[in-house]
Amino acid sequence: DGLSMLLHAFNKRTGTPVKFERQHTPLDTERLFDAPFIYLTGHEEFTLSAKERDNLKRYLTRGGVLFAEACCGRKGFDRSFRREMAQTFNGTALKRLPSAHPIFRFPQKVVQVTPRPGLAARMKTRAKVKPTLLGLQMNGATSVIYSPIGLACGWEMAACPYCVGIGNADALALGINILSHILMQ
């Protein structure tokens, strides 16, 4: 539901037409190459097959984009995602996107975000914090955009007190910026 709500907000904010139809696209099929970007989220640990890794690497090196988030900031998904990206890209680790990255500047300036209670407890602060996104660059473009903290609960505007994520308005603003960046690069 979160992605649908983000797409609605993105359409309303930017006027960009969107499709709300879900398309499950396995990473090991040629259908992957029909999508300009893919979204991956989850709570639990996972492992990609060699074929999925190879296909994903071809997809990303050909200009596709992977946008992923650890739903509710779940550590199992986070560990798995980082491990799988490192295995897919020969040990290359995801790097934190600098605060000057365009993704934090357009169409809305996102300099600080409000942590949900779960994130505030983990960080030991209730104050606003810098947004955290990790990425992987290929051929001058950000091919992987990853949030180790939850965004979808914010897109859903869900009351989720244990979510290790950011507040609704900030999650929507950051999500809109991410989609804008994907489409403009």
Side-chain angles (χ1 to χ4, degrees):
D1 293 337
L3 188 57
S4 293
M5 295 182 86
L6 171 61
L7 290 172
H8 175 73
F10 175 72
N11 170 261
K12 191 173 179 180
R13 171 80 165 95
T14 67
T16 304
V18 298
K19 281 186 179 180
F20 292 98
E21 176 185 333
R22 276 189 189 179
Q23 291 185 356
H24 179 262
T25 307
L27 295 178
D28 61 355
T29 67
E30 290 300 311
R31 285 192 12 234
L32 180 65
F33 296 91
D34 295 335
F37 79 94
I38 53 175
Y39 171 69
L40 177 65
T41 189
H43 289 106
E44 306 300 326
E45 293 197 26
F46 65 94
T47 301
L48 298 177
S49 70
K51 186 173 182 181
E52 287 172 325
R53 277 190 217 105
D54 291 343
N55 217 33
L56 179 60
K57 185 174 184 175
R58 282 189 316 128
Y59 169 78
L60 295 171
T61 56
R62 290 182 181 180
V65 178
L66 170 59
F67 169 27
E69 61 141 344
C71 192
C72 297
R74 297 292 177 100
K75 290 184 179 187
F77 182 91
D78 181 56
R79 276 190 305 271
S80 295
F81 187 79
R82 291 173 193 251
R83 179 194 69 234
E84 292 300 326
M85 290 301 101
Q87 286 181 349
T88 300
F89 296 101
N90 304 320
T92 302
L94 297 167
K95 292 189 167 91
R96 186 174 181 147
L97 298 180
S99 57
H101 193 282
I103 218 162
F104 299 115
R105 304 285 178 211
F106 182 82
Q108 301 163 93
K109 193 172 185 181
V110 181
V111 178
Q112 293 186 320
V113 295
T114 303
R116 286 179 170 266
L119 180 59
R122 184 184 285 179
M123 297 181 81
K124 297 179 176 35
T125 184
R126 291 188 177 268
K128 288 187 171 239
V129 296
K130 285 185 176 185
T132 300
L133 291 175
L134 306 177
L136 190 68
Q137 302 285 323
M138 277 187 241
N139 304 320
T142 309
S143 298
V144 177
I145 301 166
Y146 175 59
S147 177
I149 60 172
L151 299 175
C153 288
W155 302 338
E156 292 173 14
M157 298 180 204
C160 193
Y162 301 106
C163 174
V164 176
I166 59 176
N168 300 351
D170 294 331
L172 276 172
L174 194 54
I176 289 168
N177 282 17
I178 291 167
L179 291 178
S180 295
H181 183 76
I182 289 169
L183 295 176
M184 292 175 50
Q185 69 172 348

